[in-house]
Amino acid sequence: MRKKIVAGNWKMNLDYEEGLTLFSEVVNMVNDEITGQQHVIVCSPFIHLHSLVTLGKASTKLSVGAQNAHQAESGAYTGEISAKMIRSVGAEYVILGHSERRQYFGETNELLAKKVDIALKHALVPIFCIGETLQEREAEIHFDVIKRQLTAGIFHLDASEFAKLVIAYEPVWAIGTGVTASSAQAQEIHIFIRNEIAAKYGQSIADGTTILYGGSCNPKNAAELFGQADIDGGLIGGASLKSRDFVDIARVFN
Ligand code: PGA
């Protein structure tokens, strides 16, 4: 059975102390309350990573991830952080291709393909984000957009590398807006993604791929969303900044 995952994306929030306080609460709640096989991941700003990895050793159900990595191995890229650096502090995951990176930092599918390669090279698991904008949905090209993001971003991988990925479908119009995709809308895209993976890599790899939903996920709507056959968990922004809400979302899989 494929892995169920609830991943938090703190984005550019929380100073060092605030991050440690929130994470300590999450560790305690996860240890006390998570009884299923689900895995909980916290993707923090870079400044927190090392400390969170240390605190997270108290739970086998928790991992830590970054929110971005540079595409180069190392070099004269002032202000950037490499995949090797992220792995060296013990983080295990990295979000790549978040729509905010695509939108505000001009990240293209072609650039993201390079980031995916270097992350895998350094044993980081990419949480690869895809999803259409409102204009693209209204123009009814959302399936094309998603297919292109898959093809150009990750379908260059061979099957054994591809099998390591986590995918997150995040409709851009649902991120931070309070508007969630309906469970039927989300499931329709998730099965589309899984079928595309099956066509490229075969049914068994497709069936093993964890595909998360993201976009205004909260403790009230999580059970309905995660109850869909092809939704294997969530990538949680706003609600991951409150320990109670975040762990309540993860508890859906208990
Ligand atoms: P949101 O963000 O839960 O605040 O909508 C999700 C995300 O951007 O990953």
Side-chain angles (χ1 to χ4, degrees), residues 62-230:
L62 253 177
S63 296
V64 173
Q67 300 170 16
N68 181 33
H70 195 268
Q71 65 276 15
E73 184 69 41
S74 64
Y77 300 102
T78 300
E80 291 295 318
I81 305 273
S82 73
K84 183 164 186 264
M85 291 171 187
I86 295 166
R87 190 71 191 98
S88 76
V89 294
E92 295 172 74
Y93 291 82
V94 60
I95 296 174
L96 293 176
H98 191 280
S99 67
E100 289 150 16
R101 300 289 320 170
R102 293 175 185 264
Q103 193 181 341
Y104 305 138
F105 302 94
E107 296 195 358
T108 60
N109 292 317
E110 292 68 26
L111 173 79
L112 291 166
K114 295 188 186 137
K115 293 193 175 203
V116 167
D117 288 345
I118 199 122
L120 288 168
K121 178 178 174 204
H122 290 290
L124 285 173
V125 175
I127 301 175
F128 189 75
C129 301
I130 56 180
E132 80 286 359
T133 64
L134 185 59
Q135 293 91 315
E136 288 162 345
R137 182 163 276 264
E138 283 174 351
E140 295 180 7
I141 56 167
H142 44 298
F143 290 107
D144 302 332
V145 168
I146 285 160
K147 187 167 181 165
R148 167 94 192 123
Q149 290 169 334
L150 290 169
T151 308
I154 48 180
F155 278 3
H156 64 287
L157 296 170
D158 66 27
S160 66
E161 293 292 285
F162 185 88
K164 296 174 186 163
L165 295 185
V166 173
I167 294 174
Y169 168 60
E170 299 202 301
V172 179
W173 46 272
I175 295 177
T177 57
V179 180
T180 321
S182 70
S183 54
Q185 273 174 326
Q187 168 62 19
E188 182 186 39
I189 301 286
H190 280 236
I191 185 81
F192 172 76
I193 294 167
R194 202 174 303 288
N195 287 339
E196 290 296 315
I197 297 169
K200 171 78 183 167
Y201 293 104
Q203 196 61 49
S204 120
I205 289 205
D207 287 342
T209 304
T210 297
I211 308 177
L212 309 179
Y213 168 80
S216 298
C217 215
N218 61 44
K220 290 205 178 72
N221 59 30
E224 163 79 18
L225 286 159
F226 300 172
Q228 303 302 304
D230 291 281

Side-chain angles (χ1 to χ4, degrees), residues 12 26 40 46 50 56 59 65 71 82 94 133 172 188 190 213 219 232 238 249 252:
M12 195 175 75
V26 170
V40 180
F46 295 123
H50 182 248
S59 172
Q71 65 276 15
S82 73
V94 60
T133 64
V172 179
E188 182 186 39
H190 280 236
Y213 168 80
D232 307 311
I249 294 170
V252 165

